[in-house]
Amino acid sequence: MPHQIALQFEDGLTRFIEANATETVADAAYRQGVNIPLDCRDGACGTCKCFAESGQYTMGEYIDDALSDDEAKQGYVLTCQMRAQSDCVVRVPASSAVCRTQQAEFNAAIKEVRQLSPSTISLSLQGDALNKLAFLPGQYVNLKVPGSNQTRAYSFSSLPRNGEVSFLIRNVPGGLMSSFLTSLAKQGDAMSLAGPLGSFYLREIKRPLLLLAGGTGLAPFTAMLEKIAEEGSAHPLHLIYGVTNDADLVEMDKLQAFAARIPNFTFTACVANADSPYPHKGYVTQHIEPKHLNEGEVDIYLCGPPPMVEAVSHFIRERGIQPANFYYEKFAASA
């Protein structure tokens, strides 16, 4: 049975290949047109050295000059000697352009556009081509705005299922994509997407997680939670979701459903507007409790606007906490 290998390049592009248990990851990549760095193929030169971020694999023979014991313990691999025993995520220390690898492009059609709030639009796409779409939960694609040559980057808010995928899109007054979706879009309209992209994605869960979402930064987390609901987690997960006004709170039913499906998952939503009647007011940082930081033995994932990322970074430093990992994605509205 072949295993799926996510090859993530330095420029953020991710390409997925299938590798049989009997072939090396390098051979599988070249067989499928992905030219990762490679030279000797004998485990002697180190040209194909990459980092296996997750997954199970075996290694063939190689010399210390190509890969030291310390590097191997850290998770570095030689793809010319690596044979996958499970699905794997491998970071390639080169750009996709150097490896002559292009973004995968997919054509789809609009299934549904819903105005969830004045600030948030839900977009669902469907199409046979999306059955071949693969991404790591948390990643994004570039969506082309119909009638233009411009693209906008949006995180997936769901996993692909039955040729369908969805996004949460910030409604920017006068914005190119927002104007199309609120005024022109109709069911069946063609859209194209290219990717996947981004280094913000769910890693193997080895410790408690603290998930921090601002506005439509909730999107990658609903995709992550779908994955966690499927696979389970032995560690506690807590999401803090912050918005500006009451009306901006969306997908609350979905979060409650995840809380029912995932035994270790809890969440808090908060509204920044001081005049809000919502029980939890203030910013996300005001709702981070010491137990959520677990004295630093925690992986933090944050997706929100730049000021939020800076505020959380400052909050953590101020308390002298060094999380095991801190992954974040900044986003800004595009006109």
Side-chain angles (χ1 to χ4, degrees):
M1 177 180 175
H3 299 296
Q4 190 177 68
I5 313 298
L7 299 173
Q8 186 176 42
F9 297 92
E10 281 187 335
D11 52 359
L13 178 68
T14 301
R15 286 296 304 271
F16 290 80
I17 62 169
E18 288 190 344
N20 299 315
T22 57
E23 66 181 338
T24 67
V25 169
D27 285 345
Y30 274 78
R31 175 171 60 81
Q32 292 161 80
V34 181
N35 301 324
I36 59 179
L38 188 64
D39 193 357
C40 73
R41 291 182 181 267
D42 297 320
C45 69
T47 301
C48 67
K49 187 185 299 180
C50 294
F51 183 76
E53 191 161 282
S54 67
Q56 303 298 316
Y57 54 87
T58 59
M59 290 285 290
E61 296 182 356
Y62 56 88
I63 65 174
D64 289 345
D65 287 346
L67 184 72
S68 68
D69 288 342
D70 185 54
E71 288 176 320
K73 290 177 182 177
Q74 292 178 53
Y76 287 93
V77 295
L78 300 178
T79 56
C80 75
Q81 299 299 311
M82 175 188 180
R83 289 176 171 82
Q85 304 300 306
S86 72
D87 292 348
C88 297
V89 178
V90 178
R91 294 208 310 257
V92 182
S95 71
S96 59
V98 168
C99 298
R100 299 191 295 279
T101 298
Q102 296 180 336
Q103 292 186 27
E105 296 188 358
F106 302 87
N107 294 316
I110 293 176
K111 179 181 179 181
E112 184 180 40
V113 177
R114 289 187 295 141
Q115 186 93 35
L116 300 182
S117 75
S119 64
T120 308
I121 301 166
S122 171
L123 170 65
S124 296
L125 301 179
Q126 64 180 2
D128 291 341
L130 298 185
N131 287 317
K132 300 178 181 178
L133 174 64
F135 61 88
L136 302 171
Q139 289 189 304
Y140 68 91
V141 288
N142 287 319
L143 281 180
K144 188 174 181 180
V145 183
S148 79
N149 292 319
Q150 297 192 44
T151 61
R152 296 291 184 267
Y154 299 111
S155 299
F156 294 98
S157 61
S158 71
L159 300 181
R161 296 186 188 283
N162 301 317
E164 183 178 337
V165 73
S166 64
F167 305 87
L168 288 180
I169 295 175
R170 182 179 175 188
N171 185 15
V172 180
L176 193 62
M177 182 67 83
S178 299
S179 297
F180 168 75
L181 293 176
T182 56
S183 302
L184 301 173
K186 60 183 183 298
Q187 187 177 28
D189 282 349
M191 294 193 76
S192 63
L193 51 160
L197 296 157
S199 58
F200 184 75
Y201 54 84
L202 181 66
R203 273 74 173 178
E204 181 181 357
I205 302 175
K206 299 180 179 179
R207 56 187 64 83
L209 302 188
L210 175 59
L211 314 175
L212 306 173
T216 53
L218 180 64
F221 294 118
T222 54
M224 290 182 188
L225 288 168
E226 277 194 27
K227 185 70 170 179
I228 295 169
E230 289 180 353
E231 299 184 349
S233 169
H235 301 280
L237 328 161
H238 186 68
L239 167 70
I240 305 177
Y241 167 39
V243 298
T244 303
N245 299 299
D246 289 33
D248 300 322
L249 287 172
V250 300
E251 303 286 43
M252 296 294 285
D253 290 347
K254 184 174 289 187
L255 294 180
Q256 290 166 359
F258 282 130
R261 291 177 62 194
I262 305 171
N264 294 323
F265 173 63
T266 56
F267 73 94
T268 301
C270 58
V271 178
N273 188 339
D275 296 327
S276 166
Y278 197 74
H280 302 294
K281 285 186 281 292
Y283 296 101
V284 163
T285 51
Q286 294 172 265
H287 297 274
I288 299 176
E289 301 176 14
K291 65 180 180 181
H292 300 147
L293 296 174
N294 198 36
E295 298 183 342
E297 186 57 17
V298 62
D299 287 344
I300 299 176
Y301 290 80
L302 188 166
C303 186
M308 179 182 174
V309 176
E310 297 304 320
V312 171
S313 299
H314 177 76
F315 177 91
I316 295 170
R317 290 195 304 269
E318 195 175 51
R319 279 148 186 79
I321 296 292
Q322 181 64 50
N325 292 288
F326 183 18
Y327 308 109
Y328 62 86
E329 182 92 288
K330 296 181 182 179
F331 66 80
S334 298

Coordinates of all heavy atoms in Angstrom, one line a residue, residues 187-241:
Q187 N -24.2 30.1 -7.8 CA -23.9 28.7 -7.8 C -23.5 28.2 -9.2 O -24.2 28.6 -10.2 CB -25.1 27.9 -7.3 CG -24.8 26.4 -7.1 CD -26.0 25.7 -6.6 OE1 -27.2 26.1 -6.8 NE2 -25.8 24.6 -5.9
G188 N -22.4 27.5 -9.3 CA -22.0 26.9 -10.6 C -20.9 27.8 -11.2 O -20.2 27.3 -12.2
D189 N -20.6 29.0 -10.8 CA -19.6 29.8 -11.3 C -18.2 29.1 -11.1 O -17.9 28.5 -10.1 CB -19.5 31.2 -10.6 CG -20.6 32.1 -11.1 OD1 -21.2 31.8 -12.1 OD2 -20.8 33.2 -10.5
A190 N -17.4 29.2 -12.2 CA -16.1 28.5 -12.1 C -15.1 29.4 -11.3 O -15.1 30.6 -11.4 CB -15.5 28.4 -13.5
M191 N -14.3 28.7 -10.5 CA -13.2 29.3 -9.8 C -12.0 28.3 -9.9 O -12.1 27.1 -10.0 CB -13.5 29.5 -8.3 CG -14.6 30.6 -8.1 SD -14.8 31.1 -6.4 CE -13.3 32.3 -6.3
S192 N -10.8 28.9 -9.8 CA -9.6 28.1 -9.8 C -8.7 28.4 -8.6 O -8.8 29.5 -8.0 CB -8.7 28.4 -11.1 OG -8.3 29.7 -11.1
L193 N -8.0 27.4 -8.1 CA -7.2 27.5 -6.9 C -5.9 26.9 -7.2 O -5.8 25.9 -7.9 CB -7.9 26.9 -5.7 CG -8.4 25.5 -5.7 CD1 -8.6 25.0 -4.3 CD2 -9.8 25.5 -6.4
A194 N -4.8 27.4 -6.6 CA -3.4 26.9 -6.8 C -2.7 26.8 -5.4 O -2.8 27.7 -4.6 CB -2.7 27.8 -7.7
G195 N -2.0 25.7 -5.2 CA -1.4 25.4 -4.0 C -1.2 23.9 -3.8 O -1.1 23.2 -4.7
P196 N -1.2 23.5 -2.5 CA -1.3 24.2 -1.3 C 0.0 24.9 -0.9 O 1.1 24.6 -1.4 CB -1.7 23.2 -0.2 CG -1.0 21.9 -0.7 CD -1.0 22.0 -2.2
L197 N -0.1 25.9 0.0 CA 1.0 26.7 0.5 C 1.0 26.9 2.0 O 0.0 26.7 2.6 CB 0.9 28.1 -0.2 CG 1.1 28.1 -1.7 CD1 0.4 29.4 -2.3 CD2 2.5 28.1 -2.1
G198 N 2.1 27.2 2.5 CA 2.2 27.6 3.9 C 2.8 26.6 4.8 O 2.7 25.4 4.6
S199 N 3.6 27.1 5.8 CA 4.2 26.3 6.9 C 3.4 26.2 8.1 O 3.8 25.7 9.2 CB 5.6 26.8 7.2 OG 5.6 28.1 7.6
F200 N 2.2 26.8 8.1 CA 1.3 26.8 9.3 C 0.3 25.6 9.1 O -0.6 25.7 8.3 CB 0.5 28.1 9.4 CG -0.4 28.2 10.6 CD1 0.1 28.4 11.8 CD2 -1.8 28.1 10.5 CE1 -0.7 28.5 13.0 CE2 -2.6 28.2 11.6 CZ -2.0 28.4 12.8
Y201 N 0.6 24.5 9.8 CA -0.2 23.3 9.6 C -0.1 22.5 10.9 O 0.8 22.7 11.7 CB 0.1 22.5 8.4 CG 1.6 22.1 8.3 CD1 2.1 21.0 8.9 CD2 2.4 22.9 7.5 CE1 3.4 20.7 8.8 CE2 3.8 22.6 7.4 CZ 4.3 21.5 8.0 OH 5.6 21.1 8.0
L202 N -1.0 21.6 11.1 CA -1.1 20.8 12.3 C 0.0 19.7 12.3 O 0.1 18.9 11.3 CB -2.4 20.1 12.4 CG -2.6 19.2 13.6 CD1 -2.6 20.0 14.9 CD2 -3.9 18.4 13.5
R203 N 0.9 19.8 13.3 CA 1.9 18.8 13.4 C 1.4 17.6 14.3 O 0.3 17.7 14.8 CB 3.1 19.4 14.1 CG 4.2 20.0 13.2 CD 3.7 21.3 12.7 NE 4.8 22.0 11.9 CZ 4.7 23.2 11.3 NH1 3.5 23.8 11.3 NH2 5.7 23.7 10.7
E204 N 2.2 16.6 14.4 CA 1.9 15.5 15.3 C 1.7 16.0 16.7 O 2.5 16.8 17.2 CB 3.0 14.4 15.2 CG 2.7 13.2 16.1 CD 3.8 12.2 16.1 OE1 4.8 12.4 15.3 OE2 3.8 11.2 16.8
I205 N 0.6 15.6 17.3 CA 0.3 16.1 18.7 C 1.1 15.3 19.7 O 0.8 14.1 20.0 CB -1.2 16.1 18.9 CG1 -2.0 16.9 17.9 CG2 -1.5 16.6 20.3 CD1 -3.5 16.8 18.0
K206 N 2.0 16.0 20.3 CA 2.9 15.3 21.3 C 2.7 15.9 22.7 O 3.3 15.4 23.7 CB 4.4 15.5 20.9 CG 4.7 14.8 19.6 CD 6.2 15.0 19.3 CE 6.5 14.3 17.9 NZ 8.0 14.5 17.6
R207 N 1.9 17.0 22.9 CA 1.7 17.7 24.1 C 0.5 18.5 24.0 O -0.1 18.6 22.9 CB 3.0 18.5 24.4 CG 3.3 19.6 23.4 CD 4.6 20.3 23.6 NE 5.7 19.4 23.6 CZ 6.3 19.0 22.5 NH1 5.9 19.4 21.3 NH2 7.4 18.2 22.6
P208 N 0.0 19.2 25.1 CA -1.2 20.0 25.0 C -1.0 21.1 23.9 O 0.1 21.6 23.7 CB -1.3 20.6 26.4 CG -0.6 19.6 27.3 CD 0.5 19.1 26.5
L209 N -2.2 21.4 23.3 CA -2.2 22.5 22.3 C -3.0 23.7 22.8 O -4.1 23.5 23.4 CB -2.9 22.0 21.0 CG -2.3 20.8 20.3 CD1 -3.0 20.6 18.9 CD2 -0.8 20.9 20.1
L210 N -2.5 24.9 22.5 CA -3.3 26.1 22.7 C -3.5 26.7 21.3 O -2.5 27.1 20.7 CB -2.6 27.1 23.6 CG -3.2 28.4 23.8 CD1 -4.6 28.3 24.4 CD2 -2.4 29.3 24.7
L211 N -4.7 26.8 20.9 CA -5.1 27.4 19.6 C -5.7 28.7 19.7 O -6.6 28.9 20.5 CB -6.1 26.4 18.9 CG -5.8 24.9 18.9 CD1 -6.9 24.1 18.3 CD2 -4.4 24.6 18.3
L212 N -5.1 29.7 19.0 CA -5.6 31.1 19.2 C -6.0 31.7 17.8 O -5.2 31.7 16.9 CB -4.4 32.0 19.8 CG -3.8 31.5 21.1 CD1 -2.6 32.3 21.5 CD2 -4.9 31.5 22.2
A213 N -7.3 32.0 17.7 CA -7.8 32.5 16.4 C -8.4 33.9 16.5 O -9.1 34.2 17.5 CB -8.9 31.5 16.0
G214 N -8.1 34.7 15.5 CA -8.6 36.1 15.5 C -9.5 36.2 14.2 O -9.0 36.1 13.1
G215 N -10.8 36.5 14.4 CA -11.7 36.7 13.2 C -11.7 35.5 12.3 O -11.9 34.3 12.7
T216 N -11.5 35.7 11.0 CA -11.5 34.6 10.0 C -10.2 33.7 10.2 O -10.1 32.7 9.4 CB -11.6 35.1 8.6 OG1 -10.6 36.1 8.4 CG2 -13.0 35.7 8.4
G217 N -9.3 34.1 11.1 CA -8.2 33.2 11.4 C -8.7 31.9 12.1 O -7.9 31.0 12.3
L218 N -10.0 31.8 12.3 CA -10.6 30.6 12.8 C -10.5 29.5 11.7 O -10.5 28.3 12.0 CB -12.1 30.8 13.1 CG -12.9 29.6 13.7 CD1 -12.3 29.1 15.0 CD2 -14.4 30.0 13.8
A219 N -10.5 29.8 10.4 CA -10.6 28.9 9.3 C -9.6 27.7 9.4 O -10.0 26.5 9.4 CB -10.4 29.6 8.0
P220 N -8.3 28.0 9.6 CA -7.4 26.8 9.6 C -7.7 25.9 10.8 O -7.4 24.7 10.7 CB -6.0 27.4 9.7 CG -6.2 28.8 10.2 CD -7.6 29.2 9.7
F221 N -8.2 26.4 11.9 CA -8.5 25.6 13.1 C -9.6 24.7 12.9 O -9.6 23.6 13.4 CB -8.6 26.5 14.3 CG -7.4 27.3 14.7 CD1 -7.3 28.6 14.6 CD2 -6.2 26.6 15.0 CE1 -6.2 29.3 14.9 CE2 -5.1 27.3 15.3 CZ -5.0 28.6 15.3
T222 N -10.7 25.1 12.2 CA -11.8 24.2 11.9 C -11.3 23.0 11.0 O -11.8 21.9 11.2 CB -13.0 24.9 11.3 OG1 -12.6 25.6 10.1 CG2 -13.6 25.9 12.3
A223 N -10.4 23.3 10.1 CA -9.8 22.2 9.3 C -9.0 21.3 10.2 O -9.0 20.0 10.1 CB -8.9 22.7 8.2
M224 N -8.1 21.9 11.1 CA -7.3 21.0 12.0 C -8.2 20.2 12.9 O -7.9 19.0 13.2 CB -6.5 22.0 12.9 CG -5.3 22.7 12.2 SD -4.4 23.7 13.4 CE -3.3 24.6 12.2
L225 N -9.3 20.8 13.5 CA -10.2 20.1 14.4 C -10.9 18.9 13.7 O -11.2 17.9 14.3 CB -11.2 21.0 15.0 CG -10.6 22.0 16.0 CD1 -11.6 23.1 16.4 CD2 -10.1 21.3 17.3
E226 N -11.2 19.1 12.4 CA -11.8 18.0 11.6 C -10.8 16.8 11.6 O -11.2 15.6 11.8 CB -12.1 18.4 10.2 CG -13.4 19.1 10.0 CD -13.8 19.1 8.5 OE1 -13.3 18.3 7.7 OE2 -14.5 20.1 8.1
K227 N -9.5 17.1 11.4 CA -8.5 16.0 11.4 C -8.4 15.4 12.8 O -8.3 14.2 12.9 CB -7.2 16.6 11.0 CG -6.0 15.6 10.8 CD -6.3 14.7 9.6 CE -5.0 13.9 9.3 NZ -5.3 13.0 8.1
I228 N -8.4 16.2 13.8 CA -8.2 15.7 15.2 C -9.4 14.9 15.6 O -9.3 13.9 16.2 CB -8.0 16.9 16.2 CG1 -6.7 17.6 15.9 CG2 -8.0 16.4 17.6 CD1 -6.5 18.9 16.6
A229 N -10.6 15.3 15.1 CA -11.8 14.5 15.4 C -11.8 13.1 14.8 O -12.3 12.2 15.4 CB -13.1 15.3 14.9
E230 N -11.1 13.1 13.6 CA -11.0 11.8 13.0 C -10.0 10.9 13.7 O -10.2 9.7 13.8 CB -10.5 12.0 11.5 CG -11.5 12.6 10.6 CD -11.0 12.7 9.2 OE1 -9.8 12.5 9.0 OE2 -11.8 13.1 8.3
E231 N -8.9 11.5 14.2 CA -7.8 10.7 14.7 C -7.7 10.6 16.2 O -7.0 9.7 16.8 CB -6.4 11.2 14.1 CG -6.4 11.1 12.6 CD -5.0 11.6 12.0 OE1 -4.2 12.1 12.8 OE2 -4.8 11.4 10.8
G232 N -8.3 11.6 16.9 CA -8.3 11.6 18.3 C -7.0 12.3 18.8 O -6.1 12.5 18.1
S233 N -7.0 12.6 20.1 CA -5.8 13.1 20.7 C -5.8 12.7 22.2 O -6.8 12.8 22.9 CB -5.8 14.7 20.7 OG -4.8 15.2 21.5
A234 N -4.6 12.3 22.6 CA -4.4 11.9 24.0 C -4.1 13.2 24.9 O -4.0 13.1 26.1 CB -3.2 10.9 24.1
H235 N -3.9 14.3 24.2 CA -3.6 15.5 25.0 C -4.7 16.6 24.9 O -5.5 16.6 23.9 CB -2.3 16.1 24.3 CG -1.1 15.2 24.4 ND1 -0.4 15.1 25.5 CD2 -0.6 14.4 23.4 CE1 0.6 14.2 25.3 NE2 0.5 13.8 24.0
P236 N -4.8 17.4 25.9 CA -5.9 18.4 25.9 C -5.6 19.5 24.9 O -4.4 19.9 24.6 CB -5.8 19.0 27.3 CG -4.4 18.7 27.8 CD -4.0 17.4 27.2
L237 N -6.7 20.0 24.3 CA -6.6 21.1 23.3 C -7.6 22.2 23.7 O -8.7 21.9 24.1 CB -7.1 20.6 21.9 CG -6.8 19.1 21.6 CD1 -7.7 18.7 20.4 CD2 -5.4 19.0 21.2
H238 N -7.1 23.4 23.7 CA -8.0 24.5 24.0 C -7.9 25.6 23.0 O -6.8 26.0 22.6 CB -7.6 25.1 25.4 CG -8.6 26.2 25.9 ND1 -9.9 25.9 26.2 CD2 -8.5 27.5 26.0 CE1 -10.6 27.0 26.5 NE2 -9.7 28.0 26.4
L239 N -9.0 26.1 22.5 CA -9.1 27.1 21.5 C -9.7 28.4 22.1 O -10.7 28.3 22.8 CB -10.0 26.7 20.3 CG -10.4 27.8 19.3 CD1 -9.2 28.2 18.5 CD2 -11.6 27.3 18.4
I240 N -9.0 29.5 21.8 CA -9.5 30.8 22.2 C -9.8 31.6 20.9 O -8.8 31.8 20.1 CB -8.6 31.6 23.1 CG1 -8.3 30.8 24.4 CG2 -9.2 32.9 23.6 CD1 -7.3 31.4 25.3
Y241 N -11.0 32.0 20.7 CA -11.5 32.6 19.4 C -11.9 34.0 19.7 O -12.9 34.2 20.5 CB -12.6 31.7 18.9 CG -13.4 32.3 17.7 CD1 -12.8 33.1 16.7 CD2 -14.8 32.0 17.7 CE1 -13.6 33.6 15.7 CE2 -15.6 32.5 16.7 CZ -15.0 33.3 15.7 OH -15.8 33.8 14.6

